[in-house]
Amino acid sequence: MRKIKFRGYHTELKKMFSAEELAADQLTLLPTGEFINVSGDSTRISEIYPADKFIPLQYTGLKDKNDKEIYEGDLVTYFNTNHIGEIIFYANSWCIDFITKSREGWCKEIKGDFKCLIIGNIYENPMTVKEAIIRSLTKLYAKDIKPIDEANVF
């Protein structure tokens, strides 16, 4: 059984908080999608962060090829390809929603044998598709030390 945990992106601070940081700050996710910071024994002095200011992102229970936890909203490259996508929850399962031209609009369910590399997330790295492809290909083919010819990619 996978761990149920969340990290959170604070839209005003433009900062991602890990699940461990949220726990240390006593932030709890409410059923409404809002975070609450319970202060002491009284909920009256607690602070509630609306979902549009503190966005909850769920852990998928999977890790990438570098053993890094994969969360909703992560941008990943599909292992040994140049296909890039965002991790989303769709039709009761975790999927990679491809954003590269050759697979745009195509969603693949991810499971335990899913092989990928996290290259960022949609909040801290709001890249365009073109930037994501170039970054991905540069990482995949760094050993070749050749500049990427954008004309051949798009």
Side-chain angles (χ1 to χ4, degrees), residues 9-117:
Y9 182 73
H10 196 291
T11 58
E12 291 176 354
L13 298 176
K14 307 257 186 260
K15 182 177 185 224
M16 187 70 70
F17 290 88
S18 69
E20 294 73 22
E21 289 172 310
L22 295 175
D25 289 341
Q26 297 182 14
L27 282 163
T28 303
L29 186 63
L30 296 171
T32 60
E34 300 169 313
F35 281 102
I36 184 169
N37 185 340
V38 180
S39 180
D41 292 336
S42 174
T43 57
R44 285 187 219 148
I45 56 175
S46 299
E47 187 171 355
I48 295 178
Y49 298 93
D52 64 335
K53 294 199 179 178
F54 213 142
I55 302 167
L57 303 162
Q58 189 171 2
Y59 174 50
T60 63
L62 302 172
K63 294 184 178 184
D64 77 352
K65 73 175 200 159
N66 294 329
D67 207 38
K68 188 174 176 185
E69 294 179 339
I70 302 172
Y71 282 82
E72 177 180 11
D74 280 343
L75 291 170
V76 299
T77 57
Y78 195 59
F79 191 64
N80 290 334
T81 72
N82 62 351
H83 302 307
I84 298 165
E86 175 190 348
I87 301 298
I88 63 169
F89 192 74
Y90 176 75
N92 296 318
S93 61
W94 291 107
C95 298
I96 178 171
D97 185 16
F98 289 99
I99 57 175
T100 46
K101 274 189 175 180
S102 61
R103 296 275 190 218
E104 189 173 4
W106 188 70
C107 192
K108 175 179 175 40
E109 182 179 359
I110 59 176
K111 298 178 182 174
D113 62 346
F114 180 65
K115 303 283 189 238
C116 71
L117 176 67

